[in-house]
Amino acid sequence: MALTINTNPQKPNGEIEETISFPRFDVVSDVSDHHYITSSFTKKNGRDHFPAGSHKKIMQEWKILEKHLPESIFVRVYENRIDLLRAVIVGTAGTPYHDGLFFFDLAFPADYPNHPPMVHYRSFGLRLNPNLYANGRVCLSLLNTWTGKKSEKWNPDESTVLQVLVSIQALVLNEKPYFNEPGHGMWPGRSIWEKKSTAYNEDVFILSCKSMTFLLRNPPKNFEGFVRSHFRERGHVILSACKSYLSGHVRVGYYLNEGSSGGGASSPGPGGCVDVSEKFQGLIVQLYPELVTAFSRTGASLGSLTEQVKFERKTVPFKGEGVLKQKKEKNTSGIARKVFGKIKVALGLKKNGVIKVNN
């Protein structure tokens, strides 16, 4: 199956936009911006050469990917570098990664499948998951880059690249990534951990939105049209989510929209309103115009969503205000007593600190 995308989203003369089919799996030639482009393997006739067994296994991987990729994952392999592969995962609805695009560059080792593929996340220097480092490192048991049971680690006889990609989508880019960090999931359900998870989701969504603007400025090769088309179609949903999160009408990460992956309507929090941190609100207000500009350049239909958002900062009473007030009252009453005492002395009602009583 393939996704239909517009290659020319804006036509000032009103002509019908050109559309092409974007297959979920395809073979391309331009490998120039791949993270592992400098990886060296045995060369033969100017091309990378693998032992027969490794070459056969890689071709099997291609067939598996071509036939079984889910709708939210797209892959490109290279005709002159069969050792390299690029994949993009679309963020799933119901997670703080919804509607984002997450790119991964993979490289097969020369002795594949004895060892798992190397995987690099194109992070733009952002850390938006405990398993995805700012330097691009991907920590996953299946890649042998993280601890796990034997059954969770790479098995040369059974493991595949498709399993790696699906695992990243389901186990890494999930609903509550905070609990991916070791130790954070020891007491799930406790309010303190859930609050930390909610705060983490706020940070994740902000970073995911920043990644969107970076991707639109510098899309990976062979995915330029796909990136533009995706955000042209999903821009209004992302901005609507920002507004819903800002107002506290929807818990961050749980915005669902008709036509989004997962479908359905917006999901409110308990009582129809949720608490959102002022830090998150302030960052959304700053980031929102950047998103509007980035999505508008793709030709996205945004309507009233182009209007700037704002929030009113809550005024929280100073903790010591009550104490200060009490001290002030005490000081005031003390001064009043002194003044009243002086008046009594002046009137002869008080002498040597003793009040006179007239018979």
Side-chain angles (χ1 to χ4, degrees):
M1 296 180 65
L3 176 71
T4 299
I5 64 173
N6 294 329
T7 57
N8 193 1
Q10 293 178 313
K11 287 210 171 186
N13 58 6
E15 294 180 3
I16 297 176
E17 297 173 352
E18 180 185 359
T19 61
I20 63 171
S21 179
F22 193 84
R24 301 197 188 285
F25 177 89
D26 203 0
V27 182
V28 295
S29 57
D30 191 349
V31 70
S32 59
D33 69 333
H34 198 282
H35 179 74
Y36 295 104
I37 184 65
T38 58
S39 299
S40 59
F41 296 100
T42 303
K43 298 280 184 179
K44 184 176 182 180
N45 298 325
R47 297 190 178 192
D48 292 291
H49 178 68
F50 284 84
S54 297
H55 186 280
K56 181 180 179 180
K57 179 62 177 178
I58 292 174
M59 292 298 101
Q60 289 175 351
E61 294 280 12
W62 284 21
K63 290 180 181 179
I64 293 172
L65 292 169
E66 186 174 15
K67 292 181 179 180
H68 301 293
L69 277 173
E71 293 184 357
S72 52
I73 300 179
F74 297 80
V75 168
R76 292 295 177 268
V77 295
Y78 304 92
E79 57 184 356
N80 292 329
R81 289 295 300 268
I82 68 167
D83 59 308
L84 304 183
L85 178 152
R86 172 168 290 164
V88 59
I89 297 175
V90 181
T92 305
T95 75
Y97 304 100
H98 69 79
D99 297 300
L101 295 179
F102 306 92
F103 282 86
F104 299 85
D105 286 355
L106 286 75
F108 296 102
D111 63 348
Y112 189 79
N114 292 334
H115 290 88
M118 296 176 286
V119 182
H120 174 83
Y121 167 56
R122 297 176 70 91
S123 70
F124 297 102
L126 304 176
R127 178 83 182 273
L128 45 64
N129 189 284
N131 299 77
L132 304 177
Y133 287 65
N135 63 4
R137 177 178 170 81
V138 178
C139 286
L140 193 67
S141 298
L142 188 56
L143 296 174
N144 294 344
T145 53
W146 191 248
T147 57
K149 300 177 182 177
K150 185 177 180 180
S151 59
E152 298 171 343
K153 290 184 170 292
W154 181 263
N155 184 334
D157 298 322
E158 299 178 0
S159 301
T160 66
V161 169
L162 180 60
Q163 289 178 337
V164 170
L165 297 176
V166 171
S167 294
I168 291 174
Q169 182 180 51
L171 303 179
V172 176
L173 303 172
N174 59 27
E175 178 185 3
K176 296 181 178 181
Y178 175 79
F179 293 108
N180 289 9
E181 190 72 42
H184 287 177
M186 293 177 65
W187 300 283
R190 290 194 177 183
S191 59
I192 185 172
W193 294 108
E194 292 299 328
K195 287 180 180 178
K196 289 180 179 292
S197 176
T198 297
Y200 191 84
N201 277 9
E202 291 182 356
D203 293 340
V204 165
F205 182 73
I206 292 292
L207 294 177
S208 179
C209 287
K210 287 184 178 180
S211 293
M212 297 175 192
T213 63
F214 294 152
L215 275 171
L216 283 167
R217 291 178 202 153
N218 186 26
K221 291 188 181 298
N222 305 301
F223 285 90
E224 295 91 343
F226 173 80
V227 170
R228 286 194 303 270
S229 178
H230 173 82
F231 289 117
R232 181 168 63 253
E233 294 175 4
R234 305 303 301 167
H236 72 286
V237 175
I238 296 164
L239 294 177
S240 294
C242 287
K243 295 185 73 173
S244 294
Y245 297 154
L246 182 66
S247 64
H249 290 158
V250 184
R251 215 176 322 157
V252 176
Y254 292 87
Y255 184 87
L256 302 179
N257 183 276
E258 193 70 31
S260 67
S261 54
S266 299
S267 173
C273 189
V274 294
D275 292 328
V276 184
S277 71
E278 287 194 4
K279 172 189 172 185
F280 175 79
Q281 291 175 319
L283 290 173
I284 283 291
V285 169
Q286 293 177 21
L287 188 58
Y288 194 88
E290 294 182 36
L291 292 172
V292 169
T293 299
F295 297 153
S296 295
R297 287 173 179 168
T298 69
S301 178
L302 303 178
S304 62
L305 291 171
T306 57
E307 298 175 6
Q308 173 63 309
V309 295
K310 60 181 180 179
F311 80 100
E312 295 184 4
R313 192 177 298 276
K314 298 178 182 178
T315 303
V316 181
F318 175 58
K319 290 182 179 180
E321 184 177 343
V323 177
L324 291 175
K325 186 176 181 181
Q326 291 177 2
K327 287 184 177 180
K328 184 177 181 181
E329 290 176 349
K330 288 182 180 179
N331 291 338
T332 302
S333 59
I335 294 172
R337 281 196 298 271
K338 289 180 180 179
V339 172
F340 186 58
K342 289 181 179 180
I343 293 175
K344 283 184 176 182
V345 171
L347 295 176
L349 298 177
K350 184 177 181 180
K351 189 174 182 181
N352 298 325
V354 180
I355 297 178
K356 272 188 178 182
V357 179
N358 294 324
N359 295 323

